[in-house]
Amino acid sequence: MKPVRLVRLATAPLLAAALSVPLAAQAAAAAPPQQHSAAPATHAHHGKPGTLRAAAPEGFVIGSAVAGGGHHLEQPYPDPFTSDRPYRKQLAREFSSVSPENQMKWEYIHPERDRYDFAMADRIVAFAERNRQAVRGHTLLWHSQNPAWLEEGGFSPAELREILREHITTVVGRYAGRVQQWDVANEVFDDTGALRTRDNIWLRELGPGIIADAFRWAHEADPSAELFLNDYNVEDIGAKSDAYYALVQDLLAQGVPVHGFSAQAHLSTEYPFPSGLEDNLRRFAELGLATAITELDVRMNLPESGVPTRAQLAEQARYYRQALTACLNVTGCDSFTIWGFTDKYSWVPVFFSGQGAATVMWDDFTRKPAYHALRSALAEAARDDRCHRRHG
């Protein structure tokens, strides 16, 4: 199956007002408040000189997660996206793609069975349109960050199936033509390559066939969107990525509209860089899928001072560059997203005690060696691409 290439929207007006939508108004909620042209726009050349997005090759999107929701709600600062203007300025300046970190996950966007809360998702999509950015939607079927009403509701299999169908149809349909990629099924295998039939309510109650159904429903809601399988610890070739490779072949044989495979790439300098990343992405590309890096960060064990050494920062920069180079070297890997760009809002210190400094900028948005490593790799790829076009 030939994947649909990633298409960005032209600049569009700001949404009128963010909504909290009850299911009684489901039909209205499923359609975007305004219709927007899906005319393609170039990515790299809308950035200012010296930025990541300006350095990128034509057609290659460089993205960041948009901080908010999730663990941020428990931190001693207001919502980053709405309250931190310098943060928004850097987000718009540096990146040609954005991915809501938590604001499209079930517990945030569907907090009650009969109510959706699209407020933050609407604002992020509108922000992306104003700044000529692509949007990656994250995520539709997952075992984590589900609301209590869903996990503890005691629903029958038939009810759960309808709840998932309605959720996917409503959320994907609302942003049809405006969200270019969706992580449809997220983290469906454990590290042994076994399906998460214990902790994933959808797999446990409905069986593995629900994965195919989720892709079909998402495709029906927005035929123009690229639909992805997404997971962590699948950067290298091994039991977990092999399980996805087999799943993809099975889905394609059934005619399921799966368009892409993506590796999150939450890396640590405590472990060797996944040397098989490029080969792993390539084997999925050879099946006809788009590939992507979707959540890259590189954490490290911090000294007692809390400040990384020069050697640590250099090693981190090498990991970032290697991950980007692997993607650039694979045809069809045109989407590369880091999971936040500033340590100020990184999830890493919250979940990994004694570790941090995982992003490409310090709290004050000054750039680390990792940032410069990414920009130089993008610029080199762009020069090679232009040279190839001139002499090819």
Side-chain angles (χ1 to χ4, degrees), residues 104-106 137-142 167 182-186 230:
M104 285 184 174
K105 292 174 180 173
W106 271 75
H138 178 78
T139 179
L140 300 174
L141 185 157
W142 192 25
H167 177 93
W182 280 99
D183 291 330
V184 175
N186 192 53
N230 186 63

Side-chain angles (χ1 to χ4, degrees), residues 6 34 46 58 71 133 155 170 172 177 190 192 224 247 278 332 334 337 348 381:
L6 181 62
Q34 298 182 19
H46 294 298
E58 187 68 28
H71 75 278
Q133 294 168 311
F155 300 109
T170 300
V172 177
D190 65 23
T192 71
S224 69
L247 175 61
E278 182 177 325
D334 298 329
T337 299
V348 169

Side-chain angles (χ1 to χ4, degrees), residues 143 151 195-205:
H143 68 276
E151 292 284 350
L195 282 169
R196 291 182 180 270
T197 52
R198 291 185 62 184
D199 53 358
N200 187 310
I201 188 173
W202 312 111
L203 297 176
R204 183 179 67 246
E205 304 299 329

Side-chain angles (χ1 to χ4, degrees), residues 90-354:
Q90 291 293 330
L91 184 66
R93 171 185 169 88
E94 293 288 347
F95 301 99
S96 53
S97 174
V98 293
S99 179
E101 185 175 359
N102 295 288
Q103 300 93 328
M104 285 184 174
K105 292 174 180 173
W106 271 75
E107 67 177 2
Y108 199 103
I109 206 169
H110 199 167
E112 301 173 26
R113 185 177 182 182
D114 61 349
R115 182 173 68 88
Y116 286 87
D117 186 351
F118 291 114
M120 288 301 298
D122 281 356
R123 294 184 74 160
I124 291 168
V125 172
F127 174 89
E129 290 171 340
R130 291 197 306 275
N131 292 290
R132 303 181 70 83
Q133 294 168 311
V135 182
R136 295 198 80 258
H138 178 78
T139 179
L140 300 174
L141 185 157
W142 192 25
H143 68 276
S144 184
Q145 290 185 247
N146 288 325
W149 70 261
L150 173 65
E151 292 284 350
E152 302 168 10
F155 300 109
S156 70
E159 288 173 319
L160 279 174
R161 179 179 170 82
E162 177 56 22
I163 287 169
L164 181 61
R165 185 205 64 79
E166 181 271 320
H167 177 93
I168 291 174
T169 300
T170 300
V171 175
V172 177
R174 181 177 183 83
Y175 301 108
R178 306 173 68 203
V179 172
Q180 286 71 35
Q181 294 182 343
W182 280 99
D183 291 330
V184 175
N186 192 53
E187 302 174 7
V188 295
F189 291 105
D190 65 23
D191 285 342
T192 71
L195 282 169
R196 291 182 180 270
T197 52
R198 291 185 62 184
D199 53 358
N200 187 310
I201 188 173
W202 312 111
L203 297 176
R204 183 179 67 246
E205 304 299 329
L206 302 177
I210 196 62
I211 297 172
D213 289 333
F215 276 91
R216 293 187 182 105
W217 293 330
H219 185 64
E220 290 170 2
D222 184 3
S224 69
E226 279 189 317
L227 307 179
F228 277 72
L229 292 159
N230 186 63
D231 212 326
Y232 66 92
N233 286 351
V234 294
E235 294 74 33
D236 227 329
I237 295 175
K240 196 173 188 180
S241 59
D242 284 347
Y244 277 102
Y245 191 73
L247 175 61
V248 165
Q249 291 175 303
D250 182 51
L251 293 174
L252 293 177
Q254 296 178 55
V256 176
V258 55
H259 306 128
F261 169 80
S262 52
Q264 294 177 13
H266 293 295
L267 306 181
S268 169
T269 58
E270 187 177 0
Y271 307 103
F273 182 85
S275 59
L277 176 58
E278 182 177 325
D279 288 339
N280 194 36
L281 294 176
R282 184 172 287 110
R283 67 171 176 161
F284 284 92
E286 289 171 351
L287 293 178
L289 267 62
T291 58
I293 302 295
T294 54
E295 304 182 21
L296 176 64
D297 47 34
V298 183
R299 64 187 185 273
M300 61 185 74
N301 292 316
L302 296 174
E304 288 186 12
S305 66
V307 180
T309 66
R310 288 187 179 182
Q312 285 181 306
L313 292 172
E315 185 176 24
Q316 179 188 59
R318 179 171 62 84
Y319 276 47
Y320 268 98
R321 185 182 180 99
Q322 283 181 281
L324 176 57
T325 300
C327 180
L328 288 166
N329 286 345
V330 175
T331 301
C333 189
D334 298 329
S335 179
F336 184 91
T337 299
I338 59 178
W339 208 237
F341 60 88
T342 171
D343 290 343
K344 185 177 183 179
Y345 300 127
S346 173
W347 72 291
V348 169
V350 179
F351 290 88
F352 296 92
S353 178

Side-chain angles (χ1 to χ4, degrees), residues 5-6 41-45 56-62 333-335 385:
R5 300 294 288 180
L6 181 62
T42 57
H43 305 126
H45 302 297
E58 187 68 28
F60 188 88
V61 293
I62 179 78
C333 189
D334 298 329
S335 179
D385 187 52

